[in-house]
Amino acid sequence: MPEGDTVYRVAHRLDRALRGGTITRFDLRVPELANADLTGSVVHGVVPRGKHILMRIGAHTLRSHLRMDGAWHLYRPGERWRAPAHTARAIVGTADVEAVGFEVSMLALVPTTEEASLVSHLGPDPLSDDWDPAEAARRVGSDPRPIHVALLDQRNVAGFGNEYAAELLFLRGVLPTRPATEVDAAALLDLGARTIRANRDRIDRTFTGVALRGRTTWVYGRGRRPCRRCGTLIRTGELGADPTEERRTFWCPRCQR
């Protein structure tokens, strides 16, 4: 599932392409929204909120989520799509550009005055202008579950995914199974905010400071390979709020205790 920095870049690319344009094509290919039509409305902007993308069009907001396989492409009107047409779930076009959402999910269309109903459950977002580190630390630090699970819960803090959880916990020397109540949540989230902000404008995300392929992470995706710091083999496991939400965890048994 894309991390918050990826969603941030997608939203800002859509904003640059669509802002100020008048809708000439509006097609939502999900049954409950199939009759929606915002043709003639002006695009006021596109903003990210955690892992959600909010398109503000006329008096309405269109929410989408990339999930595992979703993507928004930009095309010139009439240009051939680079993904199968049957996977298109949303088409938002102006005279100059068409934004096509392939395999996007959680599509919802509400009056912008009710936009909060779509994202009010989310915790503080480190990439938003109103980032509240104290509130994020309070939510994470009071969660009795393993810190890896608490960090992924978007109700605690919005935007961090599995890769960030694994890498931040390594950098702080914290086992993913440690209860969040026993972790210095403020220090962890300060590191997380600084890291995700540094990565938001990069094409290639890095946690090591090296942008070369295969050298961008400390532990994530490196199961059974030597730790870059101490040489101990990286271990893997699975953690989740319930069996349907389990995610692969990566940690160094020597550097994280």
Side-chain angles (χ1 to χ4, degrees), residues 78-149:
E79 183 180 2
R80 184 174 180 177
W81 293 351
R82 299 184 300 276
H86 73 269
T87 65
R89 299 289 178 265
I91 305 168
V92 180
T94 68
D96 300 317
V97 65
E98 280 188 350
V100 184
F102 296 98
E103 300 285 11
V104 294
S105 64
M106 297 177 67
L107 285 172
L109 185 66
V110 301
T112 299
T113 55
E114 300 175 14
E115 182 180 287
S117 67
L118 301 174
V119 293
S120 60
H121 65 287
L122 297 175
D125 180 351
L127 292 181
S128 70
D129 293 336
D130 60 354
W131 164 239
D132 186 342
E135 175 60 17
R138 185 194 68 79
R139 295 190 187 199
V140 172
S142 61
D143 194 322
R145 297 173 298 176
I147 182 60
H148 188 274
V149 175

Side-chain angles (χ1 to χ4, degrees), residues 15 25 28 33 36 44 47 65 69 112 121 123-124 152 162 207 220 256:
D15 183 73
R25 184 180 183 186
L28 301 181
L33 297 175
H44 301 301
V47 298
H65 197 291
D69 302 311
T112 299
H121 65 287
L152 291 185
N162 207 34
F207 296 91
Y220 183 81
Q256 294 168 260

Side-chain angles (χ1 to χ4, degrees), residues 124-129 131 157-160 189 192-194 196-197 200:
D125 180 351
L127 292 181
S128 70
D129 293 336
W131 164 239
V157 58
F160 294 128
L189 291 170
R194 288 186 285 112
I196 200 169
R197 288 173 183 172
R200 68 185 174 188

